[in-house]
Amino acid sequence: PSQFNAMTSASGRGDESSDTIYLRIDGNDWPGEIGRLGTAVKWDGLGILAQSNYADAPNVYYCPSHTGNHPYEKYRDVWLSRTGTIADNYQYRISTAGKRLGDVKGTVTLIADGMRTRPDYNHRVGNNMLKGDLSVQWFADADGALLGLLAEDETAARAPGNVNRAWNTLDNSNNQNANQ
């Protein structure tokens, strides 16, 4: 479907934004830049899969190991009522506008466990990632190098760069344990 051709965030930016954990954005919840939506509701990123009924079971958007700021329980009522903003535990990558999946290099990480903040990093010792070649791999992070790149909290997460450095680390990984 054409809606999956170019992924752009609801903020309207075509970069690799740190706000890509939001599945559904309710304009009433967002002052400022995203508030331009007014009172509109926009399904964004992975949320398009829910809106289009490709993956509409809410629990698929939440890692069972998650202990951070965005557990399923926090959003359960929003999923049921379909009013309000919904975040998940995974992060998608906003590609350059106009790119199609077939144009993405196989080494590029498209989806990963949440990397917005350290509390939202699901596993502490590694990260699951979906690559451009559609393989799912494990990034071993026993030394915490990837975790160390992430913002301490929600405020720091809005600063540019932290999440992009994490994406680049995943892209450049050559894990020997990728199939575990």
Side-chain angles (χ1 to χ4, degrees):
S2 61
Q3 71 254 37
F4 300 115
N5 290 344
M7 296 175 79
T8 57
S9 71
S11 67
R13 297 187 307 248
D15 62 350
E16 295 160 11
S17 165
S18 62
D19 289 333
T20 59
I21 64 169
Y22 292 98
L23 302 173
R24 183 178 188 278
I25 299 169
D26 187 323
N28 291 315
D29 294 341
W30 288 87
E33 182 181 345
I34 297 177
R36 291 179 297 165
L37 294 171
T39 58
V41 170
K42 178 174 176 57
W43 287 90
D44 196 30
L46 296 176
I48 293 170
L49 298 174
Q51 177 193 30
S52 301
N53 296 317
Y54 286 109
D56 56 357
N59 57 337
V60 303
Y61 298 97
Y62 300 91
C63 178
S65 302
H66 184 73
T67 60
N69 298 326
H70 300 287
Y72 170 67
E73 293 75 25
K74 181 175 180 178
Y75 299 97
R76 180 184 350 218
D77 292 341
V78 179
W79 278 101
L80 294 172
S81 69
R82 301 284 183 155
T83 58
T85 296
I86 300 172
D88 71 343
N89 303 150
Y90 303 105
Q91 206 151 355
Y92 73 94
R93 181 155 220 182
I94 300 171
S95 67
T96 305
K99 287 256 184 176
R100 295 181 181 273
L101 186 56
D103 297 331
V104 176
K105 291 181 184 177
T107 57
V108 170
T109 306
L110 301 174
I111 300 173
D113 284 322
M115 299 186 299
R116 187 167 198 259
T117 64
R118 289 180 189 174
D120 280 324
Y121 190 58
N122 292 335
H123 299 288
R124 303 285 183 247
V125 296
N127 195 312
N128 293 299
M129 53 189 172
L130 173 70
K131 301 297 254 181
D133 63 5
L134 301 183
S135 65
V136 175
Q137 299 179 13
W138 174 253
F139 176 83
D141 191 32
D143 65 357
L146 183 62
L147 177 63
L149 294 174
L150 306 182
E152 291 282 339
D153 56 33
E154 295 285 328
T155 302
R158 290 183 176 87
N162 290 341
V163 174
N164 289 344
R165 284 189 293 276
W167 283 118
N168 290 336
T169 298
L170 294 177
D171 288 347
N172 295 319
S173 68
N174 186 12
N175 275 333
Q176 289 78 25
N177 63 345
N179 295 319
Q180 293 182 348

